[in-house]
Amino acid sequence: MQMLIAGTWRGAADGRTEDVRSPFDGRIIDTVPVATVKDAQSALDRAEIGAHLQRSTPAHERVDILLRAAALADERAEDIAQTISAETGKPITEARGEASRSGNIIRLAAYEGSQLYGSTLPLDANAGTGLEKIGFTLRQPVGIVVAITPFNYPALLVLHKIAPALAAGNAVVLKPARATPLTALKLAQCFVDAGLPPEALSVLTGPGSTLGDVLVTDPRVRKVSFTGSTATGTRISSIAGIKKLSLELGASCPVIILPDADLELASSAVAAGGFINAGQVCISVQRVIVDRRVEADFLDALVPKVEAIAVGNPKEEGTRLGSLISEEEATRVHSSINEARHSGAKVLTGGDRDGAVVTPAVIAGVDPRSPLSRNELFGPAVAVSSATDIESAIAMANDNDYGLGAGVFTSDIAGSIRAMRQIDAGNIHINWTPLWRADLMPYGGLKGSGIGKEGVRSAVHEMTEEKTVILHGRPW
């Protein structure tokens, strides 16, 4: 499959290609170009034209294009789902769920991109100013947006960046994850076929190590939207220069279970929230902090549910957990589980590795200061620690460099309010885990989990800029 530069499907400038392989069985799915610095510069050159065209296009015309793209995404959902499953190792049922949201995200973006309201300014409230002046604000597209996306949700995370950017009237240069470029290219085809101005969208395939610095440091780029590791986000923030940044970074999401919680609900939610997409979700349940009075009962309820998760070939309908994105990642996760075991924690179930597959694990007695608790795991395991009361549980939840999502299970309204006010996380869920997201809601983290907000309305806001305009009836 070729990459897209300003409406043209083409190979790399130097002709190099690389295989895209299934992480589950290693088979070659397709071949893509390895983009060069020259290709990146060409995409940015053409994006300058695209930004001008997009800004000059009335909102209703942009809406029409996006609605056609959404319809095409709906029509092609099964093909997109098969591609997601093949290049990520995600079970086909999960891949279908992801693909089915594509059209709706584009439709949400189409609406929000047409709602760029300004506001009037009460200038006569300023001392010494009369009624001879009118003030108001205008929102306009930033121009060129660079979007850099990870492998774990190759449809949703691509669309949460490019759809709002295009809807707001920008041009986009997209760099998808090297492991999962095919889904991004198929989604781009929907926009191309819908009649998007050719220069408005480019998709570069290849290594971020070669392309990333070129894209984020270019002074023509006004906005960088990145989802990935905290280390890479830190580097982007240090080299990008003066431009707008949205950085969705790492996490180690806690779930607190208080003694008055519904343990059946909590255990079912954790058994889902810790293992969807093999735990390769930034809002996956990683740390479970249980009041020690109910810890044993909670584990008794949780372990059988985790053991019932069907592990196997992602193409089979009954599979609930497939492979991680690579054998290297599976080895890393397996090593983290073994390190916790050797440090005194108890692996109650799972944690075995076969190639790129790691069986779902529940690990009890985890020291909250240990690497398994403090560092992002990004794999199919939950670490269970105990707390003596709500104060110590909240303190343990906050004792971490990350702050993306958190969950609290309790039947006490006062405890719920206390938790939502005191937990340092950008998304807090009462009586559910952090692994839940509506595409329209604001989404983003605190502390080392990033800056800025996604969610379609928030993304449109961050991909536009505000002007203040003053109309002077008299020259003073």
Side-chain angles (χ1 to χ4, degrees):
M1 196 168 186
Q2 294 185 309
M3 65 182 172
L4 178 68
I5 297 183
T8 301
W9 297 95
R10 66 189 221 191
D14 62 3
R16 289 180 60 210
T17 63
E18 64 183 7
D19 295 331
V20 180
R21 293 180 177 271
S22 162
F24 178 74
D25 57 18
R27 66 186 174 86
I28 297 175
I29 307 166
D30 208 332
T31 300
V32 295
V34 179
T36 65
V37 169
K38 182 178 179 181
D39 294 318
Q41 293 289 358
S42 177
L44 291 169
D45 291 343
R46 302 298 289 171
E48 284 193 274
I49 300 170
H52 175 74
L53 291 171
Q54 283 279 85
R55 184 170 171 173
S56 304
T57 301
H60 70 88
E61 293 184 18
R62 299 199 303 268
V63 167
D64 289 344
I65 292 169
L66 265 68
L67 291 181
R68 289 195 294 270
L72 291 171
D74 289 341
E75 291 173 13
R76 301 169 186 179
E78 179 62 21
D79 180 51
I80 292 169
Q82 293 291 340
T83 303
I84 291 170
S85 180
E87 65 181 352
T88 64
K90 183 178 299 190
I92 187 59
T93 51
E94 286 187 23
R96 287 188 179 121
E98 179 178 353
S100 70
R101 289 165 60 184
S102 299
N104 286 336
I105 293 174
I106 301 170
R107 277 184 282 272
L108 277 171
Y111 172 76
E112 295 295 347
S114 69
Q115 304 297 300
L116 301 183
Y117 289 102
S119 58
T120 57
L121 305 175
L123 297 179
D124 58 304
N126 184 70
T129 302
L131 298 175
E132 302 84 7
K133 304 178 190 301
I134 295 290
F136 56 92
T137 63
L138 294 174
R139 296 207 73 84
Q140 67 180 38
V142 297
I144 299 176
V145 175
V146 162
I148 303 174
T149 57
F151 68 83
N152 55 330
Y153 282 91
L156 296 185
L157 297 182
V158 162
L159 289 174
H160 267 292
K161 298 182 187 303
I162 69 171
L166 295 171
N170 298 291
V172 185
V173 178
L174 169 67
K175 167 60 184 74
R178 193 174 190 180
T180 56
L182 303 176
T183 303
L185 293 168
K186 292 196 173 185
L187 290 169
Q189 183 74 63
C190 294
F191 289 96
V192 171
D193 293 347
L196 186 73
E199 295 84 359
L201 178 62
S202 293
V203 183
L204 299 170
T205 55
S209 57
T210 300
L211 304 173
D213 286 6
V214 177
L215 295 174
V216 304
T217 60
D218 194 290
R220 295 171 292 181
V221 174
R222 182 61 184 157
K223 167 77 177 181
V224 175
S225 182
F226 168 81
T227 299
S229 72
T230 298
T232 303
T234 300
R235 174 166 174 77
I236 289 172
S237 66
S238 70
I239 66 173
I242 301 174
K243 51 178 61 81
K244 301 183 76 174
L245 300 178
S246 293
L247 305 175
E248 297 291 341
L249 308 177
S252 176
C253 293
V255 167
I256 293 174
I257 300 174
L258 297 176
D260 55 4
D262 180 334
L263 297 184
E264 181 62 24
L265 172 66
S267 59
S268 296
V270 170
F275 303 99
I276 286 175
N277 200 24
Q280 298 170 117
V281 194
C282 51
I283 47 175
S284 178
V285 178
Q286 181 170 332
R287 297 181 286 148
V288 182
I289 302 166
V290 191
D291 189 290
R292 63 180 51 174
R293 288 167 285 183
V294 295
E295 182 179 12
D297 291 339
F298 170 74
L299 289 172
D300 285 345
L302 175 64
V303 170
K305 293 179 174 65
V306 174
E307 290 178 338
I309 295 173
V311 180
N313 188 332
K315 286 192 169 295
E316 295 178 0
E317 297 287 340
T319 297
R320 287 182 55 203
L321 190 145
S323 69
L324 277 76
I325 193 62
S326 67
E327 187 168 348
E328 180 182 12
E329 282 296 289
T331 299
R332 178 189 59 78
V333 170
H334 184 241
S335 296
S336 296
I337 294 170
N338 284 337
E339 181 182 344
R341 178 191 283 116
H342 296 150
S343 298
K346 186 175 181 180
V347 180
L348 301 182
T349 188
D352 299 319
R353 183 180 74 84
D354 180 9
V357 176
V358 176
T359 55
V362 176
I363 308 158
V366 176
D367 184 341
R369 298 164 296 181
S370 68
L372 185 63
S373 184
R374 301 194 67 84
N375 301 334
E376 184 173 41
L377 180 67
F378 227 61
V382 294
V384 182
S385 306
S386 62
T388 56
D389 49 34
I390 188 171
E391 290 85 0
S392 62
I394 292 174
M396 288 167 63
N398 287 339
D399 186 21
N400 195 276
D401 293 336
Y402 298 116
L404 181 54
V408 180
F409 286 85
T410 180
S411 59
D412 177 37
I413 294 295
S416 299
I417 293 173
R418 183 174 183 179
M420 67 179 73
R421 289 191 181 278
Q422 294 183 7
I423 293 175
D424 295 329
N427 306 281
I428 298 174
H429 299 261
I430 306 301
N431 289 323
W432 202 251
T433 77
L435 202 148
W436 190 93
R437 178 181 182 181
D439 294 313
L440 52 77
M441 77 186 210
Y443 176 87
L446 310 181
K447 302 190 289 187
S449 289
I451 56 176
K453 292 288 185 182
E454 287 195 343
V456 176
R457 177 173 294 182
S458 299
V460 165
H461 188 271
E462 296 214 3
M463 292 174 176
T464 55
E465 296 181 300
E466 188 175 61
K467 289 179 176 177
T468 296
V469 180
I470 309 297
L471 179 62
H472 296 263
R474 298 177 65 182
W476 47 265

